[in-house]
Amino acid sequence: MRKAMGLSPAPATPGAWTRAAAAAGVVLLVAGCGGGSGEGTGNHAPPPGATAPAGTGAGAEAGGGLDAAGVTREIADAATAAGFSEKPSDGDVPPALKPCMVSWQVDDEKVADSEKSYDATLAGLVKGGWKQKQKSDHTGSVITSLDKGDWTVKASHHRQGGFLMVSFIATESGPECEKLFGEDLEKNKNAR
């Protein structure tokens, strides 16, 4: 699955299969199985990857001045203020998509109270001008969608058994980014 998404292979660690299965579930949930009111649905869900670098591009123009670096900063500030630490990425976003996508994953080994920190992160984002659009709560999984300009953050908290995964994946929905996401999807479809 990671190869089809344009990401490097997952490391061969004991929990790699569990994490890969959970990541697949997150991708499916983020990609369109969100439930809720139907608000905020659309093509906002490319595959997760690494934190986007600073820079201008499609995201900065369409998001009303908000670019990938700004979104990364806002997520990181809210999450770290709430007690989360970022987990180093084991994959990377294709270079062409970096202006349009941000992924910030919580280091699950350094979390004291993940649910409290998740709620506090969402509150911090709302205080920073993000508008909560929908929230779906399924057994063991909560996904919350927040919008600001042309950016949408899918904040997800998944806990089942001893497994925990919390991530904040943001995508920009302007026409330039939609075109880049479509081209990347087509490229990965043809690579199979």
Side-chain angles (χ1 to χ4, degrees):
M1 177 180 86
R2 294 177 58 81
K3 183 178 179 184
M5 293 189 309
L7 302 174
S8 62
T13 61
W17 286 109
T18 303
R19 291 189 188 282
V26 170
V27 169
L28 291 174
L29 285 169
V30 171
C33 175
S37 68
E39 276 187 80
T41 59
N43 297 326
H44 297 272
T51 302
T56 59
E61 294 166 15
L66 190 60
D67 64 1
V71 171
T72 299
R73 197 169 30 257
E74 290 186 24
I75 292 171
D77 288 351
T80 56
F84 283 137
S85 297
E86 184 176 14
K87 180 178 185 165
S89 175
D90 65 349
D92 202 7
V93 176
L97 297 182
K98 287 184 178 187
C100 302
M101 189 174 127
V102 169
S103 178
W104 203 94
Q105 185 168 334
V106 170
D107 187 340
D108 61 325
E109 294 178 8
K110 297 181 181 178
V111 175
D113 185 341
S114 65
E115 292 174 10
K116 181 178 177 184
S117 293
Y118 177 80
D119 290 340
T121 302
L122 296 178
L125 289 170
V126 168
K127 185 176 179 181
W130 290 85
K131 307 281 189 240
Q132 184 172 324
K133 293 298 182 180
Q134 72 183 53
K135 184 173 187 175
S136 63
D137 192 344
H138 303 285
T139 306
S141 296
V142 177
I143 299 175
T144 307
S145 177
L146 303 106
D147 290 344
K148 186 174 187 180
D150 283 343
W151 285 87
T152 297
V153 171
K154 296 287 186 178
S156 53
H157 181 282
H158 305 281
R159 178 186 292 280
Q160 291 189 341
F163 177 78
L164 171 68
M165 188 167 84
V166 181
S167 64
F168 301 89
I169 300 169
T171 57
E172 199 271 345
S173 63
E176 290 180 50
C177 286
E178 289 295 326
K179 180 180 178 211
L180 291 173
F181 289 133
E183 289 170 356
D184 187 68
L185 181 64
E186 194 61 34
K187 180 179 94 178
N188 286 319
K189 212 187 296 184
N190 293 334
R192 286 188 226 176

